[in-house]
Amino acid sequence: NTSFTTGVTMELEEMTAEGTMQRVGDGEWNVSFSEPAQLAGVRLDFLDGEVTASYKGLAFSVPQTALPAKSILYQFILAADQLAETSDLQGTSGEDGVTLKGELEAGNYELILLADGSPSVFQMENQNATILFHDFVSDGASLVTETSQASEETTVSNVQSDNMETEQTEITTETVS
């Protein structure tokens, strides 16, 4: 339940968008786009169920419910805020990190977290869109670090699936005030 800033690359059906995403607090987010040229300079602010889009001083608000249900950005925000409220996250450890799977109204999602708890990849089954995260900077206590009061427990038995060994991992996080 911490604030952070991260670079994002959104791979959508017909384009790739680059920008910066910031989680300011519970339910409060902003995203600024740098590429492609059509989106450069556009900023989206998510707060209290409203989205404000602004560009060069011009701004307008719409309810989050008016956003297309398929918006991968909006789905990630819903999933991340939902996961931030959970103290026990259960996922599958792999070479890429810990994979968390969940369900939203728009469908099933998969979020891969790196060893330090930062997001790496977010994708949804029913969408041809992916968000890749890079240059993650926590503005508060990290999700999983040596300094936070968090523990990582791995179950003893390995699960065999399609000739690939994975292990179930439970990440316990505590909010440090």
Side-chain angles (χ1 to χ4, degrees):
N1 216 356
T2 184
S3 59
F4 62 82
T5 303
T6 184
V8 291
T9 302
M10 290 173 283
E11 296 175 348
L12 309 169
E13 287 182 36
E14 308 219 355
M15 78 167 160
T16 298
E18 293 279 341
T20 303
M21 173 184 279
Q22 181 178 25
R23 182 177 196 264
V24 181
D26 188 29
E28 186 176 353
W29 295 77
N30 64 59
V31 179
S32 298
F33 294 97
S34 57
E35 291 182 32
Q38 308 94 295
L39 290 177
V42 173
R43 178 180 161 129
L44 300 176
D45 291 293
F46 298 81
L47 177 63
D48 297 330
E50 292 286 319
V51 180
T52 302
S54 55
Y55 179 72
K56 294 187 178 184
L58 180 63
F60 64 93
S61 294
V62 294
Q64 284 182 2
T65 55
L67 285 178
K70 293 178 98 179
S71 167
I72 190 79
L73 196 57
Y74 178 58
Q75 297 305 315
F76 170 74
I77 289 171
L78 290 175
D81 279 343
Q82 186 180 70
L83 291 169
E85 295 175 7
T86 306
S87 61
D88 286 343
L89 302 176
Q90 293 195 2
T92 306
S93 283
E95 288 182 20
D96 296 334
V98 176
T99 301
L100 304 176
K101 294 183 179 190
E103 187 176 341
L104 299 167
E105 278 187 41
N108 295 329
Y109 68 85
E110 189 173 279
L111 174 63
I112 299 174
L113 300 177
L114 299 176
D116 65 359
S118 64
S120 175
V121 179
F122 178 80
Q123 53 195 6
M124 295 191 70
E125 275 182 14
N126 62 346
Q127 294 189 24
N128 191 9
T130 301
I131 301 176
L132 304 170
F133 301 90
H134 52 86
D135 303 321
F136 181 90
V137 177
S138 176
D139 300 329
S142 296
L143 293 177
V144 178
T145 65
E146 296 79 31
T147 57
S148 70
Q149 296 175 5
S151 63
E152 184 175 332
E153 300 171 6
T154 304
T155 59
V156 177
S157 62
N158 287 339
V159 179
Q160 196 74 359
S161 171
D162 297 333
N163 295 328
M164 186 173 112
E165 248 184 56
T166 60
E167 53 186 45
Q168 288 296 106
T169 301
E170 180 176 312
I171 299 173
T172 304
T173 60
E174 298 176 22
T175 304
V176 180
S177 300

